[in-house]
Amino acid sequence: MSALAIVAFFVALLAIILIHEFGHYLLARRFGFRVLEYFVGFGPKLWSFRRGEIEYGLKAIPAGGYVKIAGMNPFENDVPPGDEDRAYGAKPVRQRALVILAGPLSHFLVAAIIFSALLMTTGETDRTRVSVISDVPAELGSGRPSPAAAAGLRPGDVITRVGDLVAPTPAEIGPYVAQHAHEAIPVQVQRGTQIVNLTVTPVVLQAGTDQQSVRLGIELGPQPLGFFPAVAGGVADLAKYTRVSIVQIGHAFGPQGVVRVFHLLFEGAPRNQGDVASVVGVSQQVGAIGATGNWAAFFWVFAYVTLFIGIITWSRCHRSTVGTSRSCSSRRRGGGRSTCGRSCRCPPPSCCSSDSS
């Protein structure tokens, strides 16, 4: 397990908090709210400084962060004299809602940027159109000699033909090989400026079992995408993993998920891959990934965790914004005051002040 990867993961989580709160902060400043504090952490104050009218700093417990806006806490009279028109409750509902939702939305933006950057720098096999051999192990997992190594295939070879397939993609090679087990398949590759023709005979591993597979003995590496395809792919990944996360959240907090957690906690049931994991559990997985040196996978996990937290905080803030906006509207029609934020708040302070925990 890589200690460096675990430390990097927790530093990345701290970065998520900073970015999340910066989303609140940026729009609050843009709309002219009176921002009082911008802190990372909770509990006793460790360090701070003041720039202009805002205090920035760090607190002892790095389990979240907050942006404090004047008039947001109904139990605290913290609106400076003369700033009543800049208090939270004095601003239009639309601006208040955007300030609240800016934090969760920053998670979606960061996740999309990371997904796109990974596609630009390392690529993804499923999106790769060119089949480039990244590795040719001498032996397969069962200890059998690799057919590809015996035939003379090398890392860096670009596969231009496999049997009847011309310029096959990585997604096409696997199914074709599976249909031609124990058959001699002509393979043409480009090696530098040369065209090399070889013959490879796939072998069957673990025949007759659920783990049966047909292998040539090559690994195909992903190729980096261009800027615009990478951005499009990053947005597509964002949409895909958002749907996956919503399904997982529904499962985790549904009846079956609650029962499953009970079995794990109190009955010592063995964990499955799809079980809910705590921050400690995720950090252990990240450490295992870091031990392999696969930093692309590390950043993918970080992007997914960032997105997952964004969905959780979005659902909290969205419900608060919608519900309290209706309450404020009805109270205004009934004559309720909303000049300094003491009689009408949309949404409540719990969302903006601590939703990065």
Side-chain angles (χ1 to χ4, degrees), residues 37-105:
E37 298 177 358
Y38 180 7
F39 271 80
V40 174
F42 300 108
K45 184 189 302 183
L46 297 179
W47 169 80
S48 70
F49 69 94
R50 179 172 294 276
R51 177 170 295 176
E53 60 186 17
I54 303 173
E55 184 180 10
Y56 303 85
L58 181 67
K59 294 193 173 182
I61 305 173
Y66 68 92
V67 171
K68 185 176 182 181
I69 299 175
M72 200 169 190
N73 189 340
F75 305 105
E76 184 178 356
N77 185 11
D78 57 2
V79 181
D83 280 338
E84 287 78 9
D85 60 336
R86 300 174 62 197
Y88 183 75
K91 295 294 184 177
V93 171
R94 177 182 63 84
Q95 292 184 359
R96 284 179 278 176
L98 289 174
V99 167
I100 293 300
L101 296 177
L105 285 175

Side-chain angles (χ1 to χ4, degrees), residues 61 72 87 120 126 131 134 164 168 292 299 306 339:
I61 305 173
M72 200 169 190
M120 273 191 288
D126 291 342
S131 298
S134 60
D164 300 329
T292 66
F299 283 107
T306 300
T339 56

Side-chain angles (χ1 to χ4, degrees), residues 2 15 68 81 86 89 92 110 117 121 171 191 212 219 234 249 264 266 281 318 332 340:
S2 172
K68 185 176 182 181
R86 300 174 62 197
V110 171
T121 55
R191 183 175 296 164
Q212 177 175 312
E219 294 181 9
I249 292 170
L264 290 171
F266 301 106
H318 181 68
R332 287 196 186 96
C340 67

Side-chain angles (χ1 to χ4, degrees), residues 136-271:
V136 183
E139 295 182 348
L140 301 181
S142 62
R144 299 178 61 174
S146 166
L153 288 171
R154 302 176 186 174
D157 286 349
V158 180
I159 300 177
T160 56
R161 180 187 292 271
V162 174
D164 300 329
L165 299 178
V166 178
T169 65
E172 294 172 334
I173 292 177
Y176 183 87
V177 170
Q179 296 173 3
H180 296 80
H182 302 303
E183 298 179 16
I185 302 176
V187 177
Q188 184 182 84
V189 300
Q190 182 173 346
R191 183 175 296 164
T193 59
Q194 297 181 331
I195 298 297
V196 180
N197 292 289
L198 304 165
T199 300
V200 185
T201 302
V203 296
V204 179
L205 301 182
Q206 302 183 22
T209 69
D210 294 339
Q211 305 298 321
Q212 177 175 312
S213 63
V214 182
R215 299 282 304 278
L216 280 178
I218 60 174
E219 294 181 9
L220 299 176
Q223 297 298 303
L225 303 183
F227 177 78
F228 291 108
V231 170
V235 173
D237 282 350
L238 180 73
K240 178 175 70 173
Y241 295 124
T242 297
R243 292 192 297 269
V244 171
S245 297
I246 291 173
V247 171
Q248 290 177 336
I249 292 170
H251 174 74
F253 293 99
Q256 292 182 346
V258 173
V259 171
R260 177 61 180 165
V261 170
F262 179 86
H263 290 320
L264 290 171
L265 292 177
F266 301 106
E267 297 182 359
R271 295 188 63 87

